[in-house]
Amino acid sequence: MRKDIIDYLCEEVEYRCKLPTNHFGIGCFYHIQAVVKNAEMLAESYDADQEVVIIAAWLHDIASVTNYELYEDHHIHGAEIAEDMLQKFGYPPDKIKHVQKCIRNHRGSVLNSKTTIEEICVADADAISHFDNVPSLLYLAYVNKGLSIDEGREFVKNKLTRSFEKLSDNSKLLYMKKFDQVMNILV
Ligand SMILES: [Fe+2]
Ligand SMILES: [Fe+2]
């Protein structure tokens, strides 16, 4: 495991998230941390390459936090930023390509076919990350959007349901209990 790279990414991503130029605010760092945690867990469950998965998870939204203008195609720009960063560490070219694939295919809204288990780990971890950050969804509903209690509850439940539905079939089974627990609180 390239601890030097992972330590660097953790620090660098936090630094970029905290910059005033980061349109998404510090919540983005919590999101990325949650993706890394879930991606690591999924990589272990699926016997995937943990190093590739963890590095890709740290970098999957790097373009969005670096420059808001890159948001729309952040999966493509992020893969380019990742290549630059990882080359500086002398990371093997085949592994860089694999990390790039994970970044390019992490978005449920962009229909790219995932061909490796590592890509599925990162995409599923991204989709499930809302479940580690329900308070920020409630904040979005009640504070940012100013919704009523009923509207806010439906908004959050819909968002969580859509996230869950994006998961691969295997990951749905892994997260079923967590999904039920969170939804039961929002009755
Ligand atoms: Fe993303
Ligand atoms: Fe993300």
Side-chain angles (χ1 to χ4, degrees):
M1 190 72 76
R2 287 290 301 267
K3 196 173 174 307
D4 57 334
I5 297 180
I6 293 164
D7 287 348
Y8 165 79
L9 292 178
C10 175
E11 257 181 54
E12 180 64 19
V13 170
E14 184 172 13
Y15 170 74
R16 292 192 190 201
C17 285
K18 284 181 173 168
L19 286 176
T21 46
N22 169 24
H23 173 87
F24 298 97
I26 190 64
C28 211
F29 185 64
Y30 303 139
H31 161 69
I32 296 168
Q33 273 185 319
V35 174
V36 172
K37 190 190 85 178
N38 284 293
E40 191 172 359
M41 197 276 280
L42 288 171
E44 205 175 335
S45 299
Y46 296 151
D47 208 14
D49 185 327
Q50 283 216 339
E51 185 179 277
V52 164
V53 167
I54 292 169
I55 290 174
W58 275 116
L59 288 169
H60 81 284
D61 281 338
I62 191 76
S64 307
V65 298
T66 303
N67 181 352
Y68 183 59
E69 283 175 21
L70 304 181
Y71 172 71
E72 197 152 306
D73 285 326
H74 72 268
H75 54 301
I76 296 168
H77 298 294
E80 286 163 9
I81 295 171
E83 184 176 32
D84 281 352
M85 279 186 178
L86 296 172
Q87 274 176 349
K88 288 190 185 122
F89 279 91
Y91 200 52
D94 57 323
K95 286 201 167 198
I96 293 180
K97 291 252 173 313
H98 202 161
V99 167
Q100 288 186 289
K101 256 171 118 3
C102 294
I103 298 172
R104 278 197 204 99
N105 291 339
H106 82 268
R107 300 175 77 181
S109 54
V110 178
L111 286 177
N112 283 336
S113 55
K114 301 179 206 16
T115 53
T116 66
I117 193 70
E118 287 76 18
E119 290 160 71
I120 292 170
C121 288
V122 177
D124 281 355
D126 193 34
I128 205 68
S129 69
H130 278 146
F131 284 80
D132 288 296
N133 233 326
V134 176
S136 69
L137 283 183
L138 293 167
Y139 188 88
L140 176 66
Y142 295 122
V143 181
N144 294 351
K145 290 184 174 285
L147 298 177
S148 71
I149 290 179
D150 284 345
E151 286 167 345
R153 182 184 53 225
E154 285 316 302
F155 170 80
V156 172
K157 281 173 82 171
N158 282 338
K159 220 164 171 50
L160 290 168
T161 303
R162 282 202 306 276
S163 296
F164 184 75
E165 281 168 357
K166 282 185 200 158
L167 293 176
S168 62
D169 289 345
N170 274 333
S171 294
K172 279 197 182 102
L173 293 175
L174 285 178
Y175 283 106
M176 184 72 82
K177 196 171 160 202
K178 190 164 189 165
F179 177 73
D180 285 341
Q181 284 169 337
V182 171
M183 294 303 266
N184 282 338
I185 289 174
L186 296 169
V187 169

